[in-house]
């Protein structure tokens, strides 16, 4: 679905309650923003997203600049406060392929620069295809990179803090450029580590082999190191798989899972089965 196809006609007024940097200085800036939304009509579930409307003027005369961000908390609100939600934002910059000029991403810089108390217009929530199953005996296989961790933070908070009776196996494969960039899993914030002692939960980290050379995150090695377990989960009819992050992650996963399956054809057959049964969900961004 294109961004121009989303309904933004009924925005909500949100207020920045807090803004916290999740990565150390010297690495990419990623922030955790908590937004206060007093309207009782704003309801959502884990895996959904909100839209952020950045006021203009903008190029081509657009009144607003619109971008989507995954909600990073469970349905009972950030820290149990129903009137607050959180999002995870990376400060982005882009380089013009023709001129070579570097310029800031409009929405990400707007949000990263937002001060406590600032008013921000949001829309949504959007998306119902990226949600955890209701059956607590189901397995969750989650794979993501960068700010793609946001919906998984929401999933974990829901099944371990709100649901509290989750019996299925939960596996998280999460990648970042360096250990300092492992959002919600580094020295700045350890939210995900809160679940390490749960019997059903395991997390596996994937890093870039050459972060200073911008080499991609080596998600393949993390998955291959646990190939038997990953393959068994994928074949289990009670497993739901979620993939979130940069769109190029899909190509990496297809390659390594085809290797584990024995051939691209074997993996394609299983993947199509998972998609048909609504047990393979993706949430990609550029």
């Amino acid at each position: 679905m294109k961004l121009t196809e989303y309904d933004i006609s009924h925005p909500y007024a949100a207020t920045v309650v807090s803004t916290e940097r999740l990565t150390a200085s010297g690495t990419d800036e990623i922030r955790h923003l908590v937004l206060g939304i007093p309207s009782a009509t704003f309801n959502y579930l884990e895996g959904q997203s909100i839209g952020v409307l950045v006021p203009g003027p903008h190029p081509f005369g657009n009144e607003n600049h619109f971008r989507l961000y995954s909600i990073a908390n469970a349905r009972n609100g950030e820290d149990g406060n129903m009137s607050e939600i959180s999002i995870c934002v990376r400060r982005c910059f882009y380089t013009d392929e023709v001129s070579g000029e570097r310029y800031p991403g409009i929405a990400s810089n707007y949000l990263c620069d937002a001060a406590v108390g600032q008013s921000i217009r949001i829309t949504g929530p959007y998306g119902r295809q990226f949600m955890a199953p209701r059956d607590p005996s189901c397995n969750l296989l989650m794979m993501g990179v960068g700010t793609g961790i946001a919906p998984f933070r929401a999933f974990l908070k829901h099944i371990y803090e709100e649901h509290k009776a989750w019996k299925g196996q939960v596996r998280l494969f999460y990648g970042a450029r360096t250990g300092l960039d492992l959002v919600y899993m580094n020295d700045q914030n350890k939210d995900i580590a809160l679940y390490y002692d749960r019997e059903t939960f395991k997390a596996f980290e994937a890093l870039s082999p050459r972060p200073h050379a911008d080499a991609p995150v080596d998600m393949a090695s993390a998955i291959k190191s646990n190939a038997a377990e990953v393959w068994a989960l994928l074949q289990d009819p009670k497993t739901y798989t979620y993939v979130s992050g940069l769109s190029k992650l899909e190509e990496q996963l297809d390659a390594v899972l085809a290797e584990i399956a024995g051939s691209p054809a074997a993996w394609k057959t299983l993947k199509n089965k998972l998609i048909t049964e609504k047990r393979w969900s993706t949430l990609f961004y550029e």
Side-chain angles (χ1 to χ4, degrees):
M1 186 173 179
K2 297 179 181 179
L3 290 178
T4 54
E5 298 174 345
Y6 285 86
D7 181 8
I8 61 173
S9 60
H10 298 88
Y12 291 88
T15 302
V16 179
V17 175
S18 67
T19 174
E20 170 194 8
R21 180 165 179 153
L22 297 176
T23 51
S25 59
T27 64
D28 289 347
E29 181 181 359
I30 301 177
R31 303 193 75 86
H32 177 80
L33 273 71
V34 178
L35 305 176
I37 308 173
S39 176
T41 63
F42 186 82
N43 297 295
Y44 57 89
L45 296 173
E46 302 77 24
Q48 290 191 290
S49 302
I50 61 166
V52 172
L53 297 175
V54 184
H58 295 297
F60 309 109
N62 293 332
E63 180 181 354
N64 296 294
H65 181 81
F66 174 68
R67 280 293 179 269
L68 290 174
Y69 290 91
S70 294
I71 298 172
N73 58 273
R75 67 190 71 181
N76 70 339
E78 179 72 1
D79 291 331
N81 187 335
M82 291 289 290
S83 65
E84 295 180 357
I85 68 167
S86 60
I87 56 176
C88 183
V89 182
R90 180 191 298 272
R91 189 187 292 274
C92 296
F93 294 88
Y94 302 91
T95 301
D96 187 287
E97 294 181 357
V98 178
S99 67
E101 183 179 352
R102 186 172 182 259
Y103 59 94
I106 295 173
S108 69
N109 280 267
Y110 170 73
L111 291 170
C112 286
D113 289 337
V116 172
Q118 180 174 327
S119 179
I120 291 176
R121 287 192 305 153
I122 68 167
T123 59
Y126 304 110
R128 299 189 67 87
Q129 78 283 1
F130 203 83
M131 295 183 183
R134 295 180 180 179
D135 183 354
S137 67
C138 289
N139 308 310
L140 273 63
L141 177 59
M142 303 175 289
M143 297 178 280
V145 294
T147 55
I149 192 71
F152 299 149
R153 177 182 185 264
F155 279 13
L156 293 171
K157 283 184 173 292
H158 172 58
I159 66 176
Y160 287 129
E161 295 180 19
E162 295 181 10
H163 208 290
K164 296 185 178 180
W166 202 267
K167 298 178 175 62
Q169 297 301 302
V170 181
R171 298 292 181 266
L172 171 64
F173 288 84
Y174 175 58
R177 193 167 58 91
T178 70
L180 296 175
D181 297 312
L182 286 165
V183 179
Y184 302 121
M185 298 168 70
N186 61 24
D187 291 341
Q188 313 299 314
N189 184 296
K190 297 180 180 293
D191 278 5
I192 302 300
L194 296 175
Y195 310 108
Y196 280 12
D197 62 348
R198 303 299 178 111
E199 264 185 48
T200 57
F201 179 67
K202 289 182 184 178
F204 306 94
E205 300 173 1
L207 304 176
S208 168
R210 298 181 302 282
H212 299 298
D214 288 330
V217 172
D218 190 9
M219 182 67 79
S221 290
I223 293 175
K224 281 195 284 189
S225 295
N226 299 275
E229 182 173 21
V230 169
W231 190 242
L233 283 170
L234 288 170
Q235 292 180 303
D236 189 329
K238 302 202 76 172
T239 296
Y240 288 75
T241 302
Y242 304 87
V243 183
S244 177
L246 293 169
S247 56
K248 58 187 177 183
L249 175 62
E250 184 169 30
E251 184 178 338
Q252 297 176 31
L253 290 178
D254 280 339
V256 69
L257 292 173
E259 184 178 340
I260 294 172
S263 71
W267 166 237
K268 184 177 181 180
T269 298
L270 178 56
K271 183 179 181 181
N272 287 340
K273 182 174 187 291
L274 295 173
I275 293 172
T276 300
E277 296 176 355
K278 297 183 178 180
R279 295 191 294 113
W280 179 274
S281 302
T282 59
L283 187 60
F284 291 125
Y285 51 88
E286 296 299 328

